[in-house]
Amino acid sequence: MDTPAAQEQTQGRFRDRLAAAAAAGAETADLDRIAEQVALQLHESGQEPDFEVRTADFATDPFFVCADRYWRRRFADSPSTDTALACARWIALHTTPGCRSAVREQWTLGNGFINRSHVETREQLDEAARSLAGAPEAADAALTLLLYHAGKLRANFAFDDLNAALTTSALAALAGPRREEPVILALRAFAAFGSRALTTEHARGLLERAWEAAHRSRHVMDVCLNGLAFSVPFDGQGELLRRLAQEAVDAHPDNHMFRFRLATAHHLCADHDEALSHVDAALALLAHHGTFSRELLMEQYLVKRDAIQEARLRAARDAEHEDRWRRQEAANADLERTLHSSSVRAVELVAVFTSAIAFAVGSLQVTLSGTLKLRERLWLLTALGAVLAVFALIIVGGTWLITRRRSRGGN
C-alpha cells in the first residue's frame, strides 16, 4: 500500500491532469476520456478522489465527470447501502453547497437506475437507518440512502413500494424535514401517479408542489414528467404533460430527455407529426451526449418513434375510412331520398290514373245507357269528374302531408 505522502503525490498528479483538461477547453469526448482514465486509476489503487467538485456539469467540469465515473464503478462493484453511505460522506466533504443537491440527485437516482436489479429489503434499510441514528449529518446521509433506494424502485416501476419507502420507512423518518425536498415530492408524485391505491388528485397535488418549488432541479422536472408519462390514465393527462414538458424544453433546450417527454405528450394527445418531430430531435441530441446509458436510451427512443409512426399511419387509415364512410352514408341518404320520392310519385300517379279510369268507365256507362237527357247526362258526368278529382286530390294531398311529417321527424 502506498504511503500517505505517495498517495497525496498521486492525487496531486490527478488534480493537475484534470485541471489541465479544464483549462485547455477540451472537447466533451476528450474530457470524458481523461476523466474516465483518472477514475479508473483511482479505483484500481483503492483511493477515493481527493478534490473538490463545484458543479454538476458533464460538459465542462472534468472533476465532476471523474468523480461521477469513480462512484459509478464503486456502485457497480457493490450496489449496497454501504457504498451509498460512503458516497454520502464523500459528497458532504468534497462538494460545494451550491452543487451538493444536484450531485446527490445525479448519483443516487442515476446509480439507482443502473443497479435496479439489486434492491435492498426493508430490514436492510431499517438496519442502515439504525446505524445512522445520532450521527452527525444523519439527515443528509439518510436522504442519500433514501434517494438511492428510491432510484431503484422508480426504475422498476414499483409504485406502491416506492410510496411506502418515501413516507413510512425508518430512513424517511430519519431524513426528517429533508423529506420536503422537491426531489422527494417529485418521487412521491411519481409513485402516486402509477399507484392504483392512490388518487390522481393526490398525485397532482404533490406534482404541483415539486414543480413550483423555487429551487427545483433538472432531476425534479424529469421525475415529475416521468410520473405523468407512466401514470394511470386520467382525463387531461396528455395536455398536462405537454404543457409541463414544453416548459422543461424551454428551460433546457439541449436536454434530450425533456424532448423525449414532449414527444410522449404529443403522442398521448394524438398530435403525431409534432411527436415525431420531437422524438427525432431527442435522438439527435442524444447522439452528442456522453451519457453512460446512451444505448439503452436510444433503444427506448426508437421504440417510441416506431409507436408514433404506427399511430400516425393508423390515424391516416382511420381518417380515410371515416371519409369513405361519410361518403357512403351521404350516397345512401341520397338513394333513400330518391326511393322515397319515387314511391310518393308512384302513389300519386296511381291515384290520378285510377281516377281517370274510373271517370272514363263511368262516363261510358252514362253515355251508352239510360234514358237521361243530354243536359242531365252532362251534369252527371261533371259531378262524377268532380268527385273523382276530389278523391285524387285527397290521395295526393294526404300522401304529401304524411311524407312531409316523416321527413321533418327524420331531420
Side-chain angles (χ1 to χ4, degrees):
M1 178 180 292
D2 292 339
T3 63
Q7 290 181 2
E8 176 57 31
Q9 186 178 11
T10 301
Q11 292 279 357
R13 288 200 305 270
F14 290 154
R15 287 194 294 269
D16 292 342
R17 188 176 180 189
L18 294 172
E27 295 291 336
T28 302
D30 293 334
L31 187 147
D32 285 345
R33 178 179 51 80
I34 295 170
E36 184 73 44
Q37 290 173 354
V38 173
L40 177 60
Q41 291 171 352
L42 284 168
H43 184 259
E44 290 178 344
S45 66
Q47 300 180 57
E48 291 185 354
D50 188 16
F51 48 72
E52 187 177 57
V53 170
R54 300 176 181 176
T55 74
D57 187 355
F58 279 107
T60 62
D61 189 350
F63 293 97
F64 171 67
V65 177
C66 178
D68 177 79
R69 301 298 190 266
Y70 171 82
W71 283 108
R72 184 180 299 164
R73 291 180 180 276
R74 285 281 299 272
F75 277 107
D77 287 346
S78 177
S80 63
T81 55
D82 291 338
T83 306
L85 278 174
C87 183
R89 296 187 188 101
W90 193 94
I91 290 173
L93 292 173
H94 294 88
T95 59
T96 58
C99 73
R100 188 163 297 154
S101 293
V103 171
R104 179 188 293 115
E105 292 170 10
Q106 175 64 41
W107 290 353
T108 53
L109 297 179
N111 286 294
F113 174 81
I114 294 170
N115 300 290
R116 58 192 177 277
S117 60
H118 182 278
V119 180
E120 291 81 3
T121 64
R122 187 66 175 260
E123 291 74 18
Q124 290 173 315
L125 294 174
D126 290 345
E127 179 61 30
R130 285 191 292 269
S131 70
L132 288 172
E137 305 296 335
D140 281 358
L143 177 64
T144 301
L145 265 64
L146 185 61
L147 287 175
Y148 177 54
H149 183 64
K152 296 178 180 181
L153 296 178
R154 174 200 173 196
N156 291 330
F157 301 102
F159 300 108
D160 292 320
D161 290 342
L162 176 58
N163 182 66
L166 294 171
T167 55
T168 63
S169 68
L171 280 175
L174 189 60
R178 304 302 300 272
R179 287 181 297 177
E180 295 302 309
E181 293 276 341
V183 66
I184 296 293
L185 296 175
L187 286 165
R188 288 180 60 194
F190 175 91
F193 275 121
S195 174
R196 301 281 178 175
L198 300 172
T199 65
T200 301
E201 289 73 19
H202 175 67
R204 293 188 67 164
L206 291 168
L207 172 71
E208 290 174 5
R209 290 172 60 192
W211 193 266
E212 295 173 3
H215 54 292
R216 74 181 182 193
S217 66
R218 178 180 61 83
H219 292 92
V220 170
M221 300 171 75
D222 181 50
V223 172
C224 288
L225 297 176
N226 191 198
L228 269 175
F230 285 93
S231 171
V232 175
F234 64 90
D235 291 340
Q237 177 187 2
E239 290 75 10
L240 179 59
L241 179 58
R242 181 172 56 187
R243 177 172 64 82
L244 297 186
Q246 186 62 60
E247 288 184 25
V249 168
D250 292 342
H252 303 275
D254 295 330
N255 188 289
H256 58 87
M257 182 58 73
F258 291 158
R259 288 279 182 177
F260 175 70
R261 300 297 183 208
L262 185 56
T264 300
H266 282 289
H267 187 201
L268 286 174
C269 295
D271 191 355
H272 306 300
D273 289 337
E274 282 293 322
L276 191 62
S277 172
H278 287 295
V279 78
D280 286 343
L283 285 165
L285 290 170
L286 180 62
H288 300 287
H289 196 279
T291 178
F292 173 78
S293 51
R294 177 191 292 174
E295 297 302 324
L296 180 62
L297 290 174
M298 183 169 290
E299 180 181 357
Q300 181 182 353
Y301 293 2
L302 289 174
V303 168
K304 174 60 71 175
R305 192 182 193 281
D306 289 343
I308 293 170
Q309 284 278 51
E310 182 180 351
R312 187 170 179 269
L313 292 173
R314 185 166 58 250
R317 288 195 297 267
D318 290 345
E320 182 182 353
H321 292 161
E322 182 70 18
D323 183 60
R324 187 181 302 170
W325 178 256
R326 289 197 188 97
R327 291 200 304 269
Q328 185 62 48
E329 281 191 330
N332 291 342
D334 289 341
L335 179 60
E336 183 179 356
R337 285 192 296 269
T338 300
L339 291 174
H340 180 71
S341 177
S342 299
S343 300
V344 171
R345 300 290 86 77
V347 171
E348 295 172 350
L349 182 61
V350 168
V352 173
F353 187 68
T354 302
S355 299
I357 291 176
F359 179 76
V361 172
S363 300
L364 186 63
Q365 290 179 347
V366 171
T367 303
L368 298 178
S369 62
T371 58
L372 295 176
K373 295 180 179 180
L374 178 60
R375 181 187 295 270
E376 293 173 343
R377 289 182 181 183
L378 290 175
W379 277 110
L380 186 59
L381 290 174
T382 302
L384 177 61
V387 169
L388 292 175
V390 170
F391 170 76
L393 288 174
I394 291 174
I395 296 297
V396 172
T399 303
W400 175 82
L401 184 62
I402 292 171
T403 55
R404 182 168 176 267
R405 285 179 178 174
R406 285 184 178 176
S407 250
R408 284 184 178 179
N411 293 334

